[in-house]
Amino acid sequence: MDLVLILASVTLLSLYFWLKREDRRLPPYPIMPLPIVGHMFELASDLRSKFKQWRAKCGDIFCLKIGSKFMVVLNGYDLLKEAFVQKADDFSDRPLTVLDLVTGLHHYGIITSSGKVWKEQRAVGLQILRNFGLGNNVLADRIQNEISYYIEHLSENTVKPVDIHLITYVSASNIICFILFGHRFEYTDQLFQKVVTNVSLFVDNFQINSAILFIPALRHLPGDLFRVKESKQVVKEMFQFFDSCIEKCRKGETGECFISEYLKEQDKRVNSGIETSMDENHLKRNLFDLFLAGTDTTSNTIYWFVLYMLHYPDVQKKIFDEINEHVGTDRIPNILDKQNLTYLNAAIMETQRISSIAANSLAHTCPRDVILRGYTIPKGTFVVPSVDSVFYDENIWGKDVMTFRPDRFIDQDGELLNPEEFIPFSLGKRICLGKAMANVELFLYLANMLQKFEFRPVDPAQLPTLNYVFGQTVYPTKYQLLIVSRFG
Ligand code: HEM
């Protein structure tokens, strides 16, 4: 009798909450939202495990409510492909993001613009990057040049325990700086170090800043609980730096760079009466977007890779043996070696898969109400692609999905595999603009690093943890290591 009563109560309660929902055609909630804040507190914790748990409960598509806004999370390769490739026109806009909030430039630049403006900004940005050698060996040579400074720095830091996080961040940033501003910066340059540290701080704050996007009233709370003031200050300093770079470029004090090419193209379009969105605010946001995207992601992947080398010395040895066989140690590896270093390529791919640094990619939105798998996704919803759900899918990668095993990317004939489910740069029209550049960077950095050095744990009996810190990008807990030169 008791059981019947419980079941009846549960059914009635479920019915009550179901009827109470604003729109019964929305995807399911994993748990009932609280009044006013909705699921906001749920999002303050580790989203990686939360999303996994909720997918198991609700299936490939579920909905969260934060304040008065909806967030729909999409899981599994098939659904991501359906939304972002097959229905790309319905899922390729951007909602207002933290980048808009803290820069005050809403929907400017490449990352957060939409529609016609985004098409133009992305096409111009890509064209300028191509002019600087993206997709050919010119850019590879520039990257190689920066790596020589990086290697020199590492050589000066052998024997004692070191953390390579900051120097890797600074070095990766220098590559995008060369393109954006026409020159690299010395590692000791205080202003540059400050700007780069600001990028890191901004990325750290990204998730907590998001609360203000969903519940704007929170910004009126005293203090800086959601660290928005801190992020705004950080971004203000970055924009002062960009202003000074634009000023120098206008005075002709820099070489050819993204700024000079953008200004030239803008003048060309304006002077020939072509309707254009190009202006100085878009330029500043492009600098911000590219600086941010080009710094954090690549350096973070290198940092993960080296951590895995400490955990898997056999993999490290196999990579060195491959380099030794195909390149030797008398010359530095170059981009032409990429095709011969299959195992290194596979280890890079496996690092990208298992670390899944862009776990939830960047949020997309729909320009109108859209039906997906029978559910309505209202216009303006935050649509989150769960890259994690693809990278940790046992049906794609096998039962050992949580094991670091580069060989999963090599076929029986020793050829490198490139499964379509390998999506570290996301997929569809918004796929990472810097994908080609990042691939060259990762290969050249790691080939050079592993040729010159062996990376060892400080204490072999106590390896640094593989635990992650979950933010806008997922990075490892900071760690120290020993860098041992292979050439004495
Ligand atoms: C390992 C390195 C990198 C990873 C894993 C990565 C990953 C991503 C991801 C997941 C997105 C979101 C795509 C989407 O919205 O669906 C993205 C967008 C973007 N990335 Fe990257 N990225 C990397 C390196 C770079 C570099 C080096 C640059 C700069 C040259 C760059 C520039 C951009 C830009 C501008 C966008 C926005 C594209 C748009 O909205 O149209 N990324 N990236």
Side-chain angles (χ1 to χ4, degrees):
M1 183 62 192
D2 281 355
L3 188 66
V4 174
L5 209 64
I6 292 169
L7 279 177
S9 315
V10 169
T11 314
L12 279 174
L13 268 175
S14 308
L15 195 65
Y16 167 74
F17 283 120
W18 173 249
L19 292 171
K20 235 178 115 247
R21 296 192 61 183
E22 293 83 341
D23 185 338
R24 271 166 285 148
R25 292 164 304 155
L26 283 171
Y29 292 143
I31 48 172
M32 286 318 294
L34 294 171
I36 305 172
V37 290
H39 296 101
M40 192 178 88
F41 294 124
E42 298 291 333
L43 299 185
S45 56
D46 174 3
L47 289 188
R48 172 164 280 169
S49 42
K50 273 274 154 66
F51 280 10
K52 186 177 172 201
Q53 210 180 311
W54 290 341
R55 182 193 187 187
K57 188 171 174 189
C58 301
D60 283 349
I61 178 165
F62 57 82
C63 181
L64 301 168
K65 193 174 179 213
I66 308 134
S68 59
K69 301 200 167 71
F70 293 110
M71 177 190 281
V72 166
V73 181
L74 305 185
N75 294 276
Y77 182 71
D78 290 345
L79 185 56
L80 263 57
K81 190 173 170 187
E82 184 179 337
F84 302 113
V85 179
Q86 288 152 2
K87 296 185 173 166
D89 289 339
D90 291 336
F91 285 96
S92 296
D93 280 4
R94 288 272 191 234
L96 195 75
T97 68
V98 168
L99 275 73
D100 302 297
L101 184 80
V102 297
T103 58
L105 294 174
H106 294 190
H107 299 302
Y108 277 84
I110 300 171
I111 297 187
T112 64
S113 55
S114 294
K116 238 171 96 180
V117 173
W118 164 70
K119 277 193 185 131
E120 185 181 32
Q121 295 299 324
R122 182 169 167 124
V124 170
L126 202 54
Q127 190 51 51
I128 299 177
L129 291 184
R130 287 203 180 114
N131 294 346
F132 279 93
L134 185 79
N136 65 43
N137 296 348
V138 176
L139 184 64
D141 288 347
R142 288 200 169 127
I143 294 171
Q144 191 75 59
N145 183 47
E146 175 57 39
I147 291 173
S148 62
Y149 289 99
Y150 177 72
I151 295 287
E152 195 183 314
H153 180 93
L154 296 190
S155 305
E156 288 160 6
N157 284 281
T158 50
V159 186
K160 55 184 188 253
V162 283
D163 180 351
I164 60 167
H165 180 260
L166 182 62
I167 192 63
T168 311
Y169 220 84
V170 170
S171 180
S173 182
N174 242 340
I175 290 172
I176 193 72
C177 279
F178 194 91
I179 297 174
L180 298 180
F181 314 120
H183 60 95
R184 69 178 295 279
F185 295 85
E186 291 301 326
Y187 294 156
T188 48
D189 186 318
Q190 297 290 309
L191 176 64
F192 180 54
Q193 276 203 5
K194 177 91 176 95
V195 175
V196 174
T197 317
N198 277 348
V199 176
S200 175
L201 193 59
F202 175 74
V203 175
D204 285 350
N205 283 353
F206 202 99
Q207 215 177 335
I208 185 144
N209 289 169
S210 307
I212 306 288
L213 278 178
F214 291 101
I215 310 180
L218 294 176
R219 81 175 72 202
H220 302 302
L221 289 178
D224 194 19
L225 196 61
F226 297 96
R227 295 196 222 134
V228 173
K229 287 186 188 133
E230 182 178 61
S231 293
K232 281 189 172 170
Q233 180 56 32
V234 153
V235 167
K236 194 173 151 198
E237 285 170 21
M238 287 171 76
F239 272 64
Q240 281 165 355
F241 174 71
F242 297 151
D243 282 341
S244 71
C245 294
I246 295 175
E247 187 61 23
K248 274 190 200 151
C249 185
R250 283 198 196 280
K251 286 189 195 153
E253 290 172 13
T254 58
E256 275 193 348
C257 59
F258 189 94
I259 302 175
S260 65
E261 297 311 290
Y262 188 97
L263 291 172
K264 249 188 255 166
E265 186 60 32
Q266 183 187 325
D267 281 351
K268 202 166 102 190
R269 292 186 188 197
V270 171
N271 292 338
S272 41
I274 299 172
E275 194 193 327
T276 180
S277 62
M278 293 179 77
D279 66 14
E280 192 154 325
N281 280 338
H282 276 296
L283 169 60
K284 283 187 198 167
R285 266 300 303 271
N286 279 338
L287 296 178
F288 180 70
D289 291 1
L290 292 168
F291 195 73
L292 193 70
T295 297
D296 187 66
T297 46
T298 324
S299 58
N300 187 348
T301 309
I302 295 170
Y303 199 50
W304 271 114
F305 187 98
V306 173
L307 179 59
Y308 276 103
M309 292 305 101
L310 303 183
H311 279 256
Y312 294 85
D314 48 332
V315 171
Q316 187 175 184
K317 182 175 180 315
K318 210 167 153 185
I319 296 172
F320 175 72
D321 289 346
E322 185 185 60
I323 296 174
N324 205 12
E325 184 187 341
H326 293 282
V327 182
T329 51
D330 293 342
R331 68 168 178 87
I332 52 178
N334 61 49
I335 197 62
L336 299 176
D337 296 314
K338 192 168 183 338
Q339 58 188 344
N340 298 320
L341 300 182
T342 307
Y343 192 69
L344 171 60
N345 285 313
I348 294 173
M349 291 169 85
E350 179 65 342
T351 302
Q352 291 190 280
R353 184 196 67 80
I354 201 164
S355 63
S356 185
I357 66 159
N360 293 320
S361 184
L362 287 168
H364 289 222
T365 195
C366 312
R368 55 193 150 265
D369 287 4
V370 172
I371 306 288
L372 185 68
R373 300 261 167 113
Y375 296 113
T376 303
I377 317 286
K379 173 183 173 182
T381 298
F382 279 68
V383 181
V384 175
S386 170
V387 173
D388 266 4
S389 71
V390 180
F391 278 167
Y392 303 140
D393 187 338
E394 290 186 4
N395 295 323
I396 300 170
W397 310 102
K399 285 258 175 278
D400 65 349
V401 75
M402 297 315 289
T403 307
F404 181 77
R405 188 172 63 82
D407 282 304
R408 73 176 81 248
F409 287 101
I410 299 176
D411 72 10
Q412 285 167 344
D413 301 324
E415 297 294 323
L416 191 68
L417 293 166
N418 192 6
E420 65 171 312
E421 296 90 350
F422 180 67
I423 51 162
F425 302 99
S426 189
L427 72 177
K429 290 188 179 179
R430 285 275 184 177
I431 191 169
C432 173
L433 179 100
K435 178 182 172 190
M437 179 171 159
N439 280 334
V440 175
E441 282 183 59
L442 291 176
F443 173 78
L444 286 177
Y445 267 92
L446 293 165
N448 277 274
M449 289 164 76
L450 272 83
Q451 182 198 45
K452 306 281 180 316
F453 308 111
E454 188 189 336
F455 299 107
R456 288 190 198 151
V458 175
D459 177 2
Q462 209 175 354
L463 294 175
T465 174
L466 287 169
N467 281 351
Y468 54 81
V469 181
F470 200 95
Q472 181 54 28
T473 50
V474 183
Y475 50 90
T477 310
K478 298 257 173 73
Y479 64 91
Q480 294 207 314
L481 76 157
L482 293 175
I483 303 173
V484 180
S485 172
R486 290 195 185 270
F487 307 115

